[in-house]
Amino acid sequence: TEANLAATDSSTDTPTNSFCTLNPLDNYYPASTFSEGNCKIATNASNQTFNTGTIGLSTGKWYWEAYLTTAGGEESIGITDIVSTGTGIYGGKTANSYSFKGNNGDIRNNDSNASYGNAYAQDVVIGVALNLDDNEIKFYKDGTVENSGTAHSITAPASTSTGLYFPMFGDVDTDSVVWSVNFGGSPAFTVSSGNADANGYGNFEYAVPSGYLALCTKNLGSDGG
């Protein structure tokens, strides 16, 4: 009989279909606090850097969500081709790091800002749609696509330092931010709607964009990413 279990304690992650989580091995410089099955982080206010996901991607179309549980000064969510390499190497600092920023809605890349969408604050769900077939990325705020649906172009994975992109979460300012992440297998926040991808995998708050998949090993095998 189940007792003292919250909705976020339920998981569809299994040995035969493993979902992406946040990577606790890539935490030397960030020094974030991990919880909820490595799907929730509280960033270290002293270290301006980021945490990454456990699955690197080179092809295909992928979707994930994150709930901003606690806001700071300059939240950061997006993708990167490298793991964290030092404090001050925040999301969007390097050539192939793309960060959607909470304070102004810009996308930061190679330490420069480009106008993109709307600012966001605490208690919103940010969706990330990464398209590595066309080398572009879109962000959603509470289910609504930003920038009128126009994607932001990114460098092809083959031209990056690792040949891969990893999901990325952090904060650029000296504040502690809490990201509750949902790659589809073990949501770190309560999902009230329940949406799977076209292959039937994942449990998301908002509808998965057409053609995009959850980051799990079954999808990696089917898509070749």
Side-chain angles (χ1 to χ4, degrees):
T1 301
E2 294 180 359
N4 300 319
L5 290 178
T8 52
D9 295 326
S10 176
S11 174
T12 60
D13 193 309
T14 68
T16 57
N17 190 20
S18 181
F19 283 76
C20 185
T21 65
L22 296 169
N23 189 354
L25 300 179
D26 182 22
N27 196 39
Y28 180 81
Y29 291 107
S32 299
T33 301
F34 281 60
S35 60
E36 296 292 341
N38 293 334
C39 286
K40 184 176 183 178
I41 53 167
T43 66
N44 187 322
S46 299
N47 298 345
Q48 293 175 295
T49 182
F50 54 83
N51 292 97
T52 55
T54 54
I55 295 179
L57 302 162
S58 59
T59 62
K61 297 180 180 180
W62 308 97
Y63 176 79
W64 61 91
E65 298 175 337
Y67 179 76
L68 185 55
T69 305
T70 302
E74 198 170 336
E75 300 78 16
S76 171
I77 182 173
I79 57 171
T80 178
D81 66 329
I82 59 173
V83 297
S84 51
T85 57
T87 58
I89 310 299
Y90 45 78
K93 175 81 170 182
T94 56
N96 298 308
S97 175
Y98 300 85
S99 170
F100 180 40
K101 298 168 56 185
N103 66 318
N104 56 19
D106 287 352
I107 288 183
R108 193 166 188 84
N109 165 244
N110 205 21
D111 218 19
S112 295
N113 287 352
S115 180
Y116 175 74
N118 299 299
Y120 59 90
Q122 190 167 306
D123 299 324
V124 300
V125 175
I126 301 298
V128 182
L130 175 62
N131 179 352
L132 296 179
D133 295 336
D134 301 307
N135 299 317
E136 59 186 27
I137 192 168
K138 293 180 182 179
F139 294 92
Y140 294 70
K141 188 169 81 169
D142 286 337
T144 300
V145 67
E146 292 287 287
N147 199 31
S148 301
T150 300
H152 185 86
S153 296
I154 63 175
T155 301
S159 298
T160 68
S161 62
T162 60
L164 299 169
Y165 279 114
F166 298 88
M168 176 189 69
F169 309 85
D171 182 62
V172 177
D173 211 341
T174 52
D175 297 282
S176 181
V177 167
V178 179
W179 283 107
S180 299
V181 179
N182 179 18
F183 291 108
S186 302
F189 59 92
T190 301
V191 173
S192 59
S193 300
N195 295 278
D197 67 19
N199 290 341
Y201 301 126
N203 180 29
F204 297 99
E205 179 64 25
Y206 294 101
V208 178
S210 179
Y212 287 76
L213 300 175
L215 274 72
C216 60
T217 52
K218 289 281 190 180
N219 280 338
L220 288 174
S222 67
D223 187 77

